[in-house]
């Protein structure tokens, strides 16, 4: 993906979330649609992250030797056991880069 495509996709997501969820805008959605929009960020993050974690140059990565997969598991583990977002982010990034350094030695 190019930076242009990423910026366009980010703009589309921002505009959609802003128009539908901003309380100052008089446009109101039915409760079902407003509830569904709450899941758009996790769905988009999953769609972006899964190819990065499991594929490299259109080939499946080896799971036991995959620092991306182990880093994702570490991030999930931290998120389940701690609700501190910044701490989880820093620890997950630190753990991922240590795994990447150690496994690619």
């Amino acid at each position: 993906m190019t930076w242009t495509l990423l910026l366009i996709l980010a703009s589309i997501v921002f505009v959609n979330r802003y128009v539908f969820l901003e309380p100052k805008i008089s446009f109101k959605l039915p409760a079902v649609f407003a509830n569904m929009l709450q899941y758009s960020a996790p769905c988009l993050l999953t769609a972006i992250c899964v190819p990065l974690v499991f594929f490299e140059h259109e080939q499946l990565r080896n799971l036991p030797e995959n620092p991306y997969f182990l880093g994702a598991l570490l991030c999930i583990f931290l998120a389940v056991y701690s609700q501190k977002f910044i701490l989880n982010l820093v620890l997950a990034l630190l753990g991922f880069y240590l795994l990447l350094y150690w496994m690619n030695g």
Side-chain angles (χ1 to χ4, degrees):
M1 276 198 241
T2 64
W3 282 103
T4 306
L5 181 60
L6 287 174
L7 291 174
I8 290 170
L9 290 173
S11 300
I12 291 169
V13 170
F14 173 77
V15 168
N16 283 335
R17 290 185 63 83
Y18 182 78
V19 168
F20 293 131
L21 298 176
E22 175 60 36
K24 295 178 185 175
I25 296 178
S26 63
F27 182 77
K28 295 293 179 192
L29 285 174
V32 172
F33 292 119
N35 193 20
M36 286 191 304
L37 280 174
Q38 292 177 351
Y39 297 102
S40 65
C43 291
L44 286 171
L45 286 174
T46 302
I48 291 169
C49 292
V50 166
L52 293 173
V53 170
F54 290 107
F55 294 98
E56 182 175 23
H57 303 296
E58 299 181 8
Q59 291 182 344
L60 189 63
R61 296 180 192 257
N62 294 333
L63 286 184
E65 303 160 355
N66 183 354
Y68 291 86
F69 179 69
L70 296 175
L73 287 178
L74 174 65
C75 185
I76 291 168
F77 176 79
L78 289 171
V80 167
Y81 288 105
S82 174
Q83 298 297 318
K84 298 179 180 178
F85 178 75
I86 300 296
L87 179 64
N88 290 347
L89 178 69
V90 170
L91 290 176
L93 284 173
L94 181 65
F96 169 71
Y97 284 119
L98 287 173
L99 282 167
L100 197 62
Y101 177 75
W102 178 60
M103 294 181 125
N104 292 333

